[in-house]
Amino acid sequence: MRALIVDDSTATRFILKSILKEIGFATVEANSGAAALHKLTEDSHFELALVDWNMPEMNGYEFVVAVRQVSTFASLRILMVTSETDVEQITKAIEAGANEYLMKPFTKDAIRDKLQMLGFDVGTHA
Amino acid sequence: MLASPVSFDFDYLRRIVREKTAIVLEAEKVYLAEAKLGPIVRRSGSASLTDLLRDLRSQPWGATHQQVVEAMTNNETSFFRDLYPYEALKNRMLPELLTKRAHVRELNIWSAASSSGQEAASIAMVIRENFRALDGWKIRILGTDIAAEMVNRCKEGLFAQHEVNRGLPAQYLVKYFDRVGLHWRLKPILSEMMEFRQMNLSALWPNLPTMDIVFLRNVLIYFDVDTKRTILTRMKSMLRPDSYLLLGGAETTLNIVDDYERVDFSKFDAYRLKNRSSKA
């Protein structure tokens, strides 16, 4: 399983990378929506993308919209992981094609729950 | 004796929890006491957990004793915990009961250790999301918990952000909850189906309606065998022959009471009262 971690915070990417590695994902990191889209275009073999909202160049919402316009990426599961907590924003992201939404701050168990909801085998809880 | 030395009186803590709830605190869980009781230590003005427990031990039973017991028996839960029980509810149990109860148009569902209310809310969401045919039925989801504080929280229908982050699909969050500051409140379309009462499963039970489905999940594991037997025996009178009893993944009626039979759902077992004819 391969996951793309899209967040402009190095610390957040590090935390997400550790959690995903423990679950069994190989990860690739990107610090903006534009960088993530570039990586995805070069290599589309990702099952999952964890995507922040507020990032320079291309934000997470714009990234979701862009990804959902490309049929090659249709099977990519997108989990927004963001500090945006307004109902309108959550609705907007889901309608644009994000598969799930997690509000920061998050816990390891919350990530596991969401990935399980997206159909990934996350193993048993510790 | 404890596996690792601690400064506070864990034996006393274990004794009062056992006396009031029949729940047995494992010695390995001693480390949880500091975290769970920290807020009570601060509220009480005690310098430490050691001091608080020493003071409580020398005093007659009061509100703080009760808060300590409740805090030690609160358990973390999440929306749609374990997923499969809710799949079974949606795909088999509710469609079946929809037909069987069509003449009375009434359903009683019990979340028997409702904790902070996620289980009851999850049941309500399964119904609202999938069973428009139940509109107009009298549906009651009763949540009971031993802790007064938990029951009051459930009545408010308020959940913290870290709670709605656990197991709740984002689409349900925006559909069935309103954001209230840093919290999320259940919308009336769900809360109007739910009712919460304080109840100790190991003490005398109040009069309750006969139940069609009982969620008694991840509760029995905390009791000794005698208390499990008492609870499962009492539960018989709460169920109809075609009612379902749902236990946690690590729980069973086997070798405790002989009055239930397993019903096999995909990746999940529920229980039903044994048919009289098959008992012989």
Side-chain angles (χ1 to χ4, degrees):
Chain A
M1 298 189 290
R2 293 178 79 220
L4 190 56
I5 300 171
V6 193
D7 199 303
D8 60 339
S9 156
T10 314
T12 303
R13 291 202 306 272
F14 179 79
I15 294 166
L16 288 172
K17 183 180 171 179
S18 311
I19 296 171
L20 289 178
K21 190 178 170 191
E22 198 178 295
I23 295 171
F25 281 92
T27 57
V28 171
E29 299 174 42
N31 61 5
S32 73
L37 201 57
H38 181 69
K39 286 185 193 292
L40 209 50
T41 308
E42 283 185 334
D43 172 6
S44 64
H45 296 102
F46 289 93
E47 287 88 13
L48 170 70
L50 303 192
V51 185
D52 185 23
W53 192 298
N54 297 302
M55 294 178 289
E57 291 188 66
M58 177 189 273
N59 70 30
Y61 170 73
E62 291 162 347
F63 171 79
V64 174
V65 171
V67 164
R68 290 304 180 222
Q69 286 172 353
V70 183
S71 60
T72 325
F73 308 146
S75 62
L76 182 73
R77 313 293 283 167
I78 300 177
L79 169 60
M80 297 292 291
V81 184
T82 163
S83 47
E84 291 290 336
T85 59
D86 283 345
V87 170
E88 293 74 22
Q89 299 287 76
I90 300 171
T91 307
K92 194 173 156 184
I94 298 292
E95 284 176 358
N99 300 95
E100 261 303 333
Y101 199 102
L102 186 61
M103 294 175 282
K104 292 178 181 172
F106 55 84
T107 61
K108 184 165 74 175
D109 284 339
I111 294 272
R112 279 181 174 273
D113 281 356
K114 290 288 180 184
L115 295 187
Q116 193 175 31
M117 288 157 68
L118 293 177
F120 292 102
D121 179 8
V122 296
T124 50
H125 282 232
Chain B
M1 292 299 287
L2 299 176
S4 57
V6 288
S7 60
F8 59 89
D9 191 345
F10 187 65
D11 286 337
Y12 169 68
L13 187 60
R14 194 151 47 169
R15 182 162 60 77
I16 59 173
V17 169
R18 174 78 186 259
E19 281 173 4
K20 294 294 169 184
T21 68
I23 290 172
V24 183
L25 295 179
E26 302 291 339
E28 295 76 39
K29 297 292 170 69
V30 62
Y31 69 93
L32 285 175
E34 295 269 10
K36 291 192 171 205
L37 301 179
I40 299 175
V41 172
R42 287 190 287 279
R43 277 206 303 270
S44 71
S46 297
S48 65
L49 180 55
T50 308
D51 288 359
L52 174 71
L53 293 177
R54 191 183 55 228
D55 292 346
L56 290 179
R57 192 169 187 163
S58 65
Q59 293 164 4
W61 190 264
T64 308
H65 296 80
Q66 189 62 36
Q67 287 166 11
V68 164
V69 169
E70 290 186 1
M72 284 309 296
T73 53
N74 286 346
N75 291 297
E76 272 210 15
T77 184
S78 61
F79 290 96
F80 299 98
R81 185 173 177 179
D82 300 334
L83 289 174
Y84 299 121
Y86 298 95
E87 291 290 316
L89 185 68
K90 175 183 145 191
N91 297 327
R92 296 227 346 235
M93 293 178 203
L94 285 172
E96 185 185 306
L97 289 167
L98 191 66
T99 307
K100 288 184 171 176
R101 303 288 185 268
H103 60 295
V104 289
R105 295 169 66 81
E106 186 178 335
L107 272 183
N108 285 300
I109 303 175
W110 183 14
S111 171
S114 50
S115 188
S116 34
Q118 284 91 332
E119 185 173 79
S122 301
I123 296 166
M125 281 185 271
V126 168
I127 291 172
R128 284 291 182 226
E129 193 68 21
N130 302 286
F131 295 93
R132 295 300 307 270
L134 290 172
D135 289 357
W137 283 43
K138 187 181 171 192
I139 295 174
R140 177 156 81 158
I141 301 168
L142 174 68
T144 62
D145 199 88
I146 191 168
E149 194 179 330
M150 285 288 121
V151 172
N152 289 335
R153 267 198 54 187
C154 288
K155 285 179 178 172
E156 284 189 66
L158 273 182
F159 295 92
Q161 186 171 295
H162 72 268
E163 293 174 316
V164 298
N165 259 348
R166 296 286 317 273
L168 182 66
Q171 282 180 325
Y172 289 7
L173 175 67
V174 296
K175 188 171 178 181
Y176 294 115
F177 294 76
D178 289 316
R179 194 168 150 214
V180 184
L182 294 173
H183 287 75
W184 295 79
R185 188 191 297 279
L186 275 180
K187 289 187 175 176
I189 190 173
L190 294 189
S191 55
E192 68 193 10
M193 303 163 72
M194 296 151 64
E195 180 186 324
F196 293 96
R197 292 169 64 169
Q198 190 179 7
M199 176 178 165
N200 183 347
L201 286 169
S202 66
L204 280 178
W205 291 12
N207 279 333
L208 297 172
T210 307
M211 296 293 167
D212 299 296
I213 301 173
V214 178
F215 278 66
L216 182 69
R217 306 199 67 239
N218 307 300
V219 192
L220 292 178
I221 42 172
Y222 297 103
F223 295 114
D224 59 30
V225 174
D226 286 342
T227 312
K228 286 177 190 173
R229 186 175 296 115
T230 305
I231 291 172
L232 287 170
T233 303
R234 277 186 199 150
M235 187 62 79
K236 284 162 47 186
S237 63
M238 303 296 306
L239 303 171
R240 300 178 208 280
D242 56 0
S243 299
Y244 287 106
L245 172 66
L246 285 73
L247 303 180
E251 297 164 330
T252 177
T253 63
L254 292 177
N255 302 321
I256 302 172
V257 286
D258 189 35
D259 306 288
Y260 295 88
E261 61 186 7
R262 239 179 0 203
V263 186
D264 182 26
F265 293 97
S266 175
K267 300 179 180 173
F268 172 75
D269 290 331
Y271 294 83
R272 208 149 44 180
L273 289 175
K274 268 186 185 168
N275 192 315
R276 278 174 197 272
S277 55
S278 67
K279 258 185 185 175

